[in-house]
Amino acid sequence: MYISYLITALVKTIIAVNISALKFQLFFYGRGFGKMRIVITGGAGYIGSHVLLELLSLGHDICVVDDFSNSNPNALLIVKDLSGCNFETQELDLCDYSHLKSVFDNFKPQAVVHLAGLKAVGESVLLPVHYFDKNIGGTVQLLKAMD
């Protein structure tokens, strides 16, 4: 039980440090751009929703891409309520290149924060090819759409 609390505290600390670093980088590099257009994959997940909230607080235009297989769309409604900001949401599988490319062609992002992926350890042992297809294949399709 104590190890669970320790792991939770460690994960929250890592997330806080990474969000702070991301905020600094976007502030530093984004100064010349002002408001940036950013795609967040996996934006409805635990980490993604926190990153989304932080980026909205900095005034950036956001498009969330998520298939909601590991998350709940209600998380985005909560972020909308907390931030008071609107953002685009596209429900799609990253492996669907044509739909993903359409999102990139229409939204025209200046940056991408890639947080989407399957993550259940037990299931990944039982279905390694499925995890490879989704995590690696989705990342490859994302990179192609960004090109």
Side-chain angles (χ1 to χ4, degrees):
M1 180 154 174
Y2 293 111
I3 193 76
S4 174
Y5 292 125
L6 180 62
I7 290 171
T8 301
L10 180 61
V11 167
K12 286 181 179 179
T13 302
I14 290 169
I15 290 169
V17 169
N18 286 331
I19 287 175
S20 296
L22 179 64
K23 284 171 74 171
F24 173 77
Q25 288 175 347
L26 287 170
F27 173 76
F28 182 75
Y29 293 112
R31 284 189 310 188
F33 297 107
K35 187 189 303 192
M36 293 181 70
R37 298 178 65 75
I38 304 170
V39 167
I40 303 177
T41 66
Y46 179 78
I47 296 172
S49 60
H50 285 78
V51 170
L52 173 61
L53 189 58
E54 290 296 325
L55 293 177
L56 289 170
S57 76
L58 294 172
H60 297 292
D61 289 331
I62 308 294
C63 178
V64 173
V65 174
D66 205 311
D67 68 358
F68 304 112
S69 63
N70 272 332
S71 58
N72 190 323
N74 290 332
L76 298 178
L77 296 175
I78 293 168
V79 169
K80 220 172 249 193
D81 287 344
L82 289 172
S83 69
C85 299
N86 289 319
F87 51 89
E88 286 187 39
T89 303
Q90 295 290 328
E91 183 174 354
L92 69 101
D93 186 331
L94 286 183
C95 294
D96 181 355
Y97 174 76
S98 61
H99 193 177
L100 188 58
K101 182 66 172 157
S102 169
V103 169
F104 273 75
D105 289 344
N106 293 326
F107 187 71
K108 297 181 182 8
Q110 297 166 294
V112 175
V113 179
H114 179 38
L115 301 169
L118 300 177
K119 63 193 180 308
V121 176
E123 186 180 59
S124 72
V125 172
L126 296 172
L127 304 168
V129 174
H130 175 67
Y131 270 65
F132 183 86
D133 284 345
K134 290 294 185 181
N135 292 345
I136 304 301
T139 300
V140 169
Q141 298 309 313
L142 177 62
L143 292 171
K144 285 171 49 179
M146 290 168 59
D147 189 22

